[in-house]
Amino acid sequence: MDILTINNVWMMICTALVFFMHLGFAFLEIGLTRQKNTMNILFKNIFIITVGLLLYCFVGFNLMYPNFDETSWGIIGFAGFGLSSPINNGVLDLSYNSGYTYWTDFLFQGMFAATAATIVSGAVAERMKLEAFIIFTIVYVGFIYPIVGSWKWGQGFLDTLETPFYDFAGSTLVHSVGGWAALIAVWLLGARVGKFKRGKSQAIQGHNIPLATAGVLILWLGWFGFNGGSVLSADPTKTSLVLVTTCLAAATGGVFAFITSYILYKNFDLTMFLNGILGGLVGITAGADQMNPTDAIIIGAIAGILVVLAVSLVDRIKLDDPVGAIAVHLVCGVWGTLAVGIFGNLAGGAQFLSQLVGIAACAFLCILSSFIIIYTLKRTMGIRVSQREEVIGLDKSEHGINAYPEFRLNEH
């Protein structure tokens, strides 16, 4: 086989692995929440991947890769609606890239696009109106995510800094894009009924921890494609290193999260263990191709500790995040991006400053846009179900059916 075919096959395998991650997100979210909201969460996850792909086809891909001209500021551009068939002299043009075809590029990037909204889905679980979430997803995935991505991956202004901002596979450009929106959404929504009593946080137990565990293991597997595919070729040296650093950071994140949780709370908390694994994965994503194994272990360890501390902080400031999305995707996304300036190939003051600029720019647009979208929805159609609807569960109130009809619900 020629090198293009080998590279393209690898990229398609990675695309399939990233697609598989959406099953992992669905399992994790329903496992960490109550069974009376299972149907609602599954509906949102299916909506995100289906509509997300269509939006990325119609506008997102060409917003993210707009072919900025040299005189533009590299902030926003648009290459037109839909996908353009790369046909040359009547046949498919395979010279698009040495590593993969135009179509493979679109599909791989399209799988990433839906992830930002999936992060928000978990954070707002059990109380957000489905219609409001649908509208938010359409605007945020269709327009905000690709604009932010264009600033680096589309060769926008972050890529043209004197020391370019670096984000290998999306600690900031994917995970914190979802994390900032999750933070704003949780703040504007308010906590679930019963989450805070007399000023103290109350644990609301997820209904299926085995399913949540399966979800995390699926996500870890999917990260082989998420990070491995971001090499954009089947280069054996680069892909092998990326998979090693990814796995080591995940393992260390989990171990340090459960140790930190035990030291602070004197219990072996499996949910912290699971979120620590995810925190390690998010943390290594910005620089997985630049780190050695020791760097990856350090990054994962700090991410695991940060997850536990961030979950505690979110509770203290009375925000309700049922799945720990803010701690995992926002906090560890920021940490992983900064880690490039500490451990990466060009580590030092200049790179660290560029990483800060990238984080700040993305935070500004994501906070502003998500606030405008969600606050507008709140003032018009409303974003939260009634207390009665929340108590009986969104499966019954929003869908008219239970995900587990043979089991009797015994929840309040």
Side-chain angles (χ1 to χ4, degrees), residues 100-393:
Y100 46 87
T101 69
Y102 174 87
W103 300 119
T104 300
D105 190 20
F106 160 73
L107 201 55
F108 181 67
Q109 299 296 341
M111 293 302 161
F112 275 60
T115 302
T118 304
I119 293 165
V120 181
S121 169
V124 302
E126 304 199 301
R127 68 231 194 254
M128 188 171 188
K129 284 184 178 179
L130 184 58
E131 296 94 331
F133 180 80
I134 285 172
I135 294 171
F136 166 79
T137 298
I138 290 170
V139 179
Y140 204 71
V141 172
F143 301 95
I144 305 306
Y145 166 78
I147 289 172
V148 173
S150 75
W151 292 350
K152 168 61 186 179
W153 294 338
Q155 299 178 323
F157 79 96
L158 290 179
D159 197 50
T160 58
L161 297 173
E162 186 174 346
T163 301
F165 171 74
Y166 195 82
D167 191 355
F168 172 64
S171 287
T172 283
L173 299 177
V174 177
H175 294 283
S176 76
V177 166
W180 290 117
L183 179 64
I184 297 302
V186 165
W187 172 51
L188 290 174
L189 261 178
R192 290 169 291 172
V193 173
K195 175 61 180 176
F196 297 103
K197 292 182 180 177
R198 292 182 290 278
K200 291 188 177 181
S201 174
Q202 308 296 313
I204 298 179
Q205 179 69 49
H207 86 281
N208 197 325
I209 300 304
L211 205 56
T213 304
V216 169
L217 292 174
I218 289 171
L219 286 168
W220 190 344
L221 172 63
W223 237 282
F224 287 13
F226 201 90
N227 285 358
S230 294
V231 174
L232 304 180
S233 77
D235 182 298
T237 304
K238 293 178 181 177
T239 53
S240 298
L241 174 64
V242 164
L243 297 189
V244 167
T245 57
T246 297
C247 280
L248 289 175
T252 316
V255 169
F256 272 75
F258 96 70
I259 291 173
T260 303
S261 179
Y262 182 79
I263 291 171
L264 293 177
Y265 308 115
K266 300 299 182 286
N267 67 341
F268 292 106
D269 189 333
L270 177 60
T271 61
M272 285 295 190
F273 205 161
L274 297 175
N275 271 334
I277 291 170
L278 296 178
L281 289 165
V282 172
I284 196 62
T285 292
D289 63 328
Q290 294 195 6
M291 306 304 170
N292 62 43
T294 302
D295 296 335
I297 288 170
I298 295 171
I299 291 168
I302 294 173
I305 295 168
L306 287 174
V307 163
V308 179
L309 299 179
V311 167
S312 175
L313 176 62
V314 167
D315 272 353
R316 282 185 193 171
I317 60 178
K318 301 206 168 29
L319 296 177
D320 183 10
D321 178 2
V323 301
I326 295 169
V328 169
H329 298 281
L330 176 54
V331 173
C332 292
V334 170
W335 157 239
T337 306
L338 292 176
V340 173
I342 301 170
F343 301 100
N345 293 341
L346 298 175
Q351 185 68 64
F352 191 82
L353 181 60
S354 289
Q355 300 304 101
L356 281 174
V357 170
I359 291 167
C362 295
F364 175 78
L365 180 61
C366 293
I367 290 171
L368 179 63
S369 61
S370 56
F371 178 82
I372 291 172
I373 299 164
I374 299 170
Y375 187 74
T376 301
L377 291 170
K378 184 174 183 176
R379 299 293 293 178
T380 52
M381 66 186 298
I383 59 174
R384 182 163 182 159
V385 299
S386 69
Q387 181 170 326
R388 178 184 174 278
E389 290 172 325
E390 183 180 340
V391 169
I392 66 172

Side-chain angles (χ1 to χ4, degrees), residues 8-22:
N8 199 66
V9 168
W10 168 247
M11 291 296 295
M12 292 302 285
I13 291 170
C14 290
T15 299
L17 287 170
V18 179
F19 175 80
F20 194 41
M21 290 176 75
H22 291 281

Side-chain angles (χ1 to χ4, degrees), residues 40-53:
N40 182 258
I41 290 169
L42 291 175
F43 188 98
K44 288 190 296 181
N45 277 268
I46 296 299
F47 174 83
I48 287 165
I49 185 61
T50 53
V51 175
L53 268 174

